[in-house]
Amino acid sequence: MENEIVSAEALKRMEEAVAEIRLRMKTAALAAGRQPGEVRLCAACKTQTVETVRASAALPIDLFGENHVQELVEKAEAGAYCGKPAHFIGHLQTNKVKKVVGRAGLIQSVDSLRLLEAIEKEAAGRQLVQDVLLEVNIGAEASKTGIPEQQLPALLEAAAGCTHIRVRGLMAIPPVNDNDAENRRLLARVRELARHAAEQRCDNIAMDTLSMGMSGDYENAILEGATIVRIGTAIYGARHYAAKP
Ligand SMILES: *Cc1c(COP(=O)(O)O)cnc(C)c1O
């Protein structure tokens, strides 16, 4: 990640983009009879530079979401988040848990028992309680991460026994879909799964967070109960993937 100064033009573009997203978030929340303040905007800033992230931190973004451990570490150490929380939203390998526990305010993407256990062990060793979301594969696509919904009860049961983990809710990435009704059906399914889970009243589980909705479907997600929307492209434009050497 090269640290270039962010041009005034790029900053203005970002400012306008975030203002529009905020407005649309508010409109969707009100349309659903919800308080706009219930929904947080997570800027999905994978591949964006430290300087771009730092510039965006001055905008009305609530928190940042990182997909890669290395980027989380680099940007955190460079102070790019300017004191705003950073969440981990990508697939997390168990051997990298050490670098994320305690650093990410919320690990949104717990997608296996192995990962849950690795986080519990690390958090216990550091005497802290790590907030997490369980990621469900809601469109049941083989290519996507997340557990099949049938495995959710078992993972919740395991989490109930983890005294250094608090499950705050669910995260999902429904498949990109031009069919609005189908998109909403899948988002509503996530909300239903969270409601069922909350009804179990397990230890260490507080189902108060639903992370769903991206650049293409965040308004639908808010209509269906999202409390965090994760938006990348609509804020930053296209992602900057480094050329492989
Ligand atoms: C990149 C990413 C996003 C944001 O996607 P956009 O379509 O660019 O808004 C959201 N969630 C996760 C997990 C991502 O990896």
Side-chain angles (χ1 to χ4, degrees):
M1 283 174 285
E2 296 270 306
N3 279 340
E4 301 158 10
I5 300 303
V6 179
S7 71
E9 191 192 336
L11 185 58
K12 184 152 180 289
R13 215 181 308 123
M14 235 168 17
E15 238 170 54
E16 288 171 356
V18 172
E20 183 186 333
I21 291 164
R22 275 289 176 193
L23 185 63
R24 289 169 63 170
M25 284 175 66
K26 183 176 167 186
T27 305
L30 293 175
R34 305 178 58 199
Q35 297 289 339
E38 284 173 27
V39 191
R40 286 179 288 168
L41 172 55
C42 167
C45 59
K46 56 179 173 276
T47 79
Q48 304 301 333
T49 65
V50 165
E51 287 314 320
T52 298
V53 171
R54 199 197 308 279
S56 67
L59 304 175
I61 281 165
D62 296 298
L63 58 108
F64 292 92
E66 291 287 1
N67 290 69
H68 301 286
V69 175
Q70 194 50 38
E71 284 191 51
L72 173 69
V73 172
E74 269 182 47
K75 291 176 207 169
E77 284 176 357
Y81 307 124
C82 300
K84 290 189 172 176
H87 291 182
F88 197 79
I89 64 174
H91 177 64
L92 181 56
Q93 291 168 280
T94 51
N95 63 349
K96 293 187 179 163
V97 156
K98 269 185 174 39
K99 292 182 174 167
V100 177
V101 167
R103 183 173 259 135
L106 181 66
I107 301 174
Q108 295 197 7
S109 42
V110 173
D111 59 0
S112 72
L113 182 59
R114 245 183 99 223
L115 179 57
L116 189 81
E117 288 171 346
I119 294 169
E120 167 68 12
K121 188 164 169 236
E122 182 63 25
R126 303 198 9 210
Q127 299 186 322
L128 54 83
V129 175
Q130 176 68 55
D131 280 344
V132 307
L133 302 181
L134 304 181
E135 182 180 351
V136 279
N137 180 348
I138 204 67
E141 289 175 297
S143 60
K144 287 269 172 70
T145 52
I147 51 160
E149 62 172 76
Q150 296 80 0
Q151 290 174 22
L152 189 57
L155 201 57
L156 283 163
E157 198 179 322
C162 293
T163 51
H164 297 85
I165 286 179
R166 191 163 45 157
V167 178
R168 302 299 298 263
L170 304 181
M171 189 267 246
I173 312 175
V176 175
N177 199 323
D178 290 335
N179 180 337
D180 221 41
E182 176 63 3
N183 179 242
R184 287 203 44 185
R185 188 183 69 79
L186 295 175
L187 293 163
R189 180 69 193 150
V190 183
R191 186 191 60 220
E192 278 304 290
L193 291 172
R195 195 174 58 78
H196 281 298
E199 282 168 3
Q200 311 296 308
R201 300 184 173 281
C202 295
D203 289 341
N204 310 320
I205 293 172
M207 285 277 157
D208 56 15
T209 306
L210 263 189
S211 175
M212 56 189 194
M214 317 206 305
S215 292
D217 66 350
Y218 65 92
E219 289 155 295
N220 278 350
I222 291 169
L223 290 172
E224 297 300 345
T227 65
I228 298 178
V229 293
R230 307 175 313 268
I231 301 185
T233 320
I235 296 174
Y236 298 108
R239 288 186 262 278
H240 305 297
Y241 289 104
K244 291 255 157 62

